Amino acid sequence: MPAKKGSDLGGISDLAGLRRRCVVDADSGCWHWRGATQTKVISMGGKIAEPRVYLRTIGGTTTIGRAAWAMSGKPQPKAERWTVWRTCGNALCGNPAHMRAGTKAQWGAWVRQSGHLTRIVDDLLEVSSIDAGSVE
């Protein structure tokens, strides 16, 4: 039987509720999401698991990054189209202290300054060279 309209079916209503659904890594400080994910195709041709949460305050699903940002009380960027990214490099992290928000251009500037994608590409090249070496 479906729930009546307006029934509270749970969802996340605060930052503590989000954190309870994660495993906290004492070393990195990352909150590793344990819930549902949605496969998302990324521009570099790969796929990642994007954590999705039901956020009670908006009455729908959103990314864990946007949920963490909104519930942490950080200001929403004034741009019409904005994004939230993680500075820790963990795609499943929900710790708002590891988040930044802004436009795609601001994200790009952060990537260039931090060298974030360079580290990812270097890691991929290292893994592919190890895999190629094991074939012989």
Side-chain angles (χ1 to χ4, degrees), residues 5-65:
K5 187 173 182 174
S7 297
D8 182 5
L9 300 176
I12 297 173
S13 59
D14 59 15
L15 210 48
L18 178 70
R19 187 174 177 175
R20 278 192 301 274
R21 290 166 173 82
C22 298
V23 174
V24 179
D25 184 328
D27 293 332
S28 67
C30 287
W31 300 0
H32 300 279
W33 177 248
R34 296 180 300 165
T37 60
Q38 175 181 350
T39 302
K40 176 181 173 184
V41 177
I42 57 175
S43 60
M44 293 169 31
K47 293 181 181 181
I48 60 168
E50 176 73 45
R52 304 286 297 185
V53 298
Y54 179 82
L55 193 58
R56 189 184 309 171
T57 55
I58 65 167
T61 60
T62 187
T63 65
I64 192 172

Side-chain angles (χ1 to χ4, degrees), residues 116-131:
H116 179 71
L117 290 180
T118 304
R119 289 191 304 271
I120 292 173
V121 170
D122 289 346
D123 289 347
L124 289 172
L125 290 174
E126 183 178 327
V127 169
S128 65
S129 67
I130 291 170
D131 290 344

